[in-house]
Amino acid sequence: MNYTEASMNVLRQGGDELADATVAALFERGEVGKFNTLMRHVSTTGTPLPDGLPDVAREYLRTTSAPPDWVDWELMEKARLFFIDNNVHISTALSFASMPACYVVPHVARLLSATHGLRYPSKRMAETGQFTVYLMQPDAFEAGGRFIPAAQKVRLLHASIRHHLQRENRWDTSGLGTPICQEDMIGGQMFFSLLVLDSLHRLGIHMSTEGAEAYYYAWRVVGAMLGVDQQAVPPTLDDARAFLDLYMVRHMGPSEEGTLLTRQLIDLYEEVVPGTLFDPVVSALIRHLIGDTCADWLRVPRSSWDTAVKAVPHLLGLLETIEDRSPLGARALDHLGRLTTLLELSSLTRGRVMHYAIPEQLKDAYGVTPASHRARRWNPPPPPPQADPRADPLPPAAQGPEPPSPRRPSHRAPRQFPWSRPLDDWSRPS
């Protein structure tokens, strides 16, 4: 796909027609509070919708109750296994690369500031971690799964932020386009997929091309369920690189909001790290993953750990070698990864159960669920009654996965990830 300044400018004008119309109707009829109260009881797929739910919300939930019919479930299963193999590293990349990348885009940092992101940094991190864990459950799209209701609510959350910012004249629409526009939603999808893969490569994690492509594909499915225009989404990793390069060149730079968000992110994780001796590791890891130019824009502190942290890929490479060669070691490291991810999410939420909701005054909350075990396969949901008649450029759905094996093959391989590019390179001439 060919991305240009002109095509990106068009994407800046688009929001999410379905979700925007739903939210506008709820606010117009004064039904947001009723919706939030009733939807607290809907957290898993297949839960009957409660009586009294506004009709416009009921229709939205019905329309968005299934994944796209083009989903390839074999690829989704590969993505789930890729996540299980790399869950700690993915959490690290999300925290110390993806989120700072959001902050280095000034208008995104300002948007997070306008939506109370500066006051509640842990909620944003909890949202990202929780959403990824929900997605990577083997029953994510089955009855009892938590991902679809979470995606439905997050989509409405984005629409409500657009509604508030535009209604309250808190956003420069003429200069910045629509808040949480299609360009920014695709950019966010790149931060949570391609940039995560880049960061894993910088950490020295062994990845196969097959595993990396499957992980990226899973986030394309996520994007579709969050209202992202699939005609504009990069279909391949090479196309994703072209999009992300242009997106960052167009928008990246320093800002006071980005600096403050980064400082709160560092403080948050320094609080999670026991004691104070290793506190500088947080800043050093961010600097290692996003590069010195971006880290300087965000005023990430320098320390003697900046050099020491470069040894992390060698240590992780040793652990990866053990895992690749030993099934027992692989199971032990998978278990350790699940525990570490749960500990991190529990620290971010401080043990509280949180809920997605449409913010009546730009306030929101989140929750946590445990990670799944490798032995359980991620099964597709039953097919919808009628297929979408519109043509779609993506591959058709597979017939379903084969019965599970006792130990699925790892999606690691001792080869370089060919699409990796340090974030710092975006600030240098090509």
Side-chain angles (χ1 to χ4, degrees):
M1 298 180 71
N2 184 29
Y3 296 100
T4 65
E5 293 280 346
S7 67
M8 298 290 250
N9 288 337
V10 171
L11 293 175
R12 291 219 64 77
Q13 306 308 312
D16 178 353
E17 184 176 349
L18 173 61
D20 290 343
T22 301
V23 166
L26 289 173
F27 273 104
E28 180 181 351
R29 301 170 188 175
E31 296 178 319
V32 172
K34 178 194 293 186
F35 172 82
N36 285 337
T37 298
L38 293 173
M39 286 304 292
R40 289 176 68 90
H41 303 288
V42 181
S43 59
T44 58
T45 301
T47 301
L49 296 179
D51 295 335
L53 195 68
D55 290 341
V56 65
R58 187 178 295 274
E59 178 60 22
Y60 164 82
L61 294 171
R62 185 196 66 78
T63 302
T64 60
S65 62
D69 59 5
W70 47 257
V71 175
D72 183 331
W73 294 106
E74 283 294 332
L75 278 178
M76 294 296 280
E77 172 65 5
K78 291 175 183 177
R80 188 184 73 86
L81 294 175
F82 181 86
F83 175 78
I84 291 177
D85 279 343
N86 298 288
N87 53 5
V88 173
H89 311 313
I90 289 172
S91 296
T92 299
L94 289 170
S95 300
F96 303 130
S98 298
M99 295 312 301
C102 292
Y103 304 157
V104 87
V105 178
H107 71 265
V108 173
R110 285 195 291 272
L111 187 148
L112 292 172
S113 173
T115 57
H116 295 266
L118 292 175
R119 295 186 185 179
Y120 308 106
S122 63
K123 290 186 177 181
R124 176 60 176 166
M125 294 308 307
E127 174 196 19
T128 304
Q130 170 196 270
F131 195 75
T132 304
V133 169
Y134 283 171
L135 171 65
M136 295 303 170
Q137 296 292 316
D139 62 350
F141 297 94
E142 296 177 346
R146 293 180 176 269
F147 176 71
I148 290 179
Q152 291 173 314
K153 295 175 187 179
V154 168
R155 188 171 176 178
L156 291 180
L157 171 63
H158 290 168
S160 66
I161 292 171
R162 281 190 292 270
H163 177 86
H164 282 301
L165 293 178
Q166 292 175 317
R167 184 187 63 176
E168 299 169 10
N169 294 320
R170 297 171 62 184
W171 187 257
D172 180 13
T173 303
S174 61
L176 296 173
T178 301
I180 315 185
C181 63
Q182 286 290 324
E183 186 192 20
D184 289 336
M185 286 195 286
I186 298 174
Q189 188 175 320
M190 298 302 102
F191 289 154
F192 298 139
S193 57
L194 179 63
L195 188 56
V196 165
L197 296 171
D198 282 357
S199 299
L200 264 60
H201 178 63
R202 287 176 70 78
L203 289 171
I205 304 304
H206 301 169
M207 289 182 290
S208 68
T209 301
E210 177 189 38
E213 289 175 341
Y215 185 77
Y216 177 75
Y217 180 87
W219 278 96
R220 291 177 63 198
V221 175
V222 172
M225 299 188 69
L226 293 181
V228 179
D229 180 5
Q230 291 304 293
Q231 298 295 331
V233 173
T236 68
L237 284 166
D238 287 329
D239 291 327
R241 171 61 62 212
F243 181 98
L244 189 55
D245 281 357
L246 181 55
Y247 179 79
M248 295 303 286
V249 168
R250 278 165 57 85
H251 300 301
M252 70 191 305
S255 69
E256 289 301 318
E257 294 88 351
T259 296
L260 185 52
L261 283 164
T262 303
R263 182 65 260 171
Q264 292 207 345
L265 175 69
I266 293 171
D267 289 344
L268 177 68
Y269 277 97
E270 285 182 351
E271 184 179 339
V272 172
V273 174
T276 59
L277 177 62
F278 296 104
D279 282 356
V281 172
V282 175
S283 297
L285 191 53
I286 292 174
R287 186 170 285 276
H288 175 68
L289 291 177
I290 70 173
D292 286 328
T293 299
C294 293
D296 288 343
W297 281 343
L298 298 174
R299 300 181 196 170
V300 177
R302 293 179 180 269
S303 73
S304 58
W305 285 93
D306 293 349
T307 300
V309 80
K310 294 178 181 179
V312 168
H314 300 290
L315 175 60
L316 292 179
L318 177 61
L319 294 176
E320 295 256 300
T321 299
I322 294 173
E323 185 168 8
D324 290 342
R325 296 179 179 179
S326 168
L328 180 61
R331 287 194 294 271
L333 290 174
D334 283 349
H335 182 65
L336 177 62
R338 289 194 297 275
L339 291 178
T340 303
T341 300
L342 284 176
L343 176 62
E344 179 182 353
L345 289 174
S346 297
S347 298
L348 292 174
T349 61
R350 303 183 188 279
R352 293 174 293 175
V353 176
M354 298 175 166
H355 302 275
Y356 294 100
I358 295 177
E360 296 185 66
Q361 295 179 335
L362 293 179
K363 295 179 181 178
D364 52 334
Y366 309 92
V368 178
T369 190
S372 60
H373 192 272
R374 157 188 304 278
R376 299 183 61 202
R377 283 184 61 89
W378 187 4
N379 295 317
Q386 291 183 341
D388 189 340
R390 294 173 295 179
D392 196 290
L394 302 178
Q399 296 301 312
E402 73 277 2
S405 59
R407 169 76 183 178
R408 295 281 298 186
S410 172
H411 289 285
R412 295 190 179 94
R415 56 181 297 182
Q416 289 197 342
F417 178 52
W419 296 275
S420 180
R421 177 175 181 177
L423 181 59
D424 209 30
D425 284 355
W426 281 311
S427 61
R428 302 170 186 157
S430 300

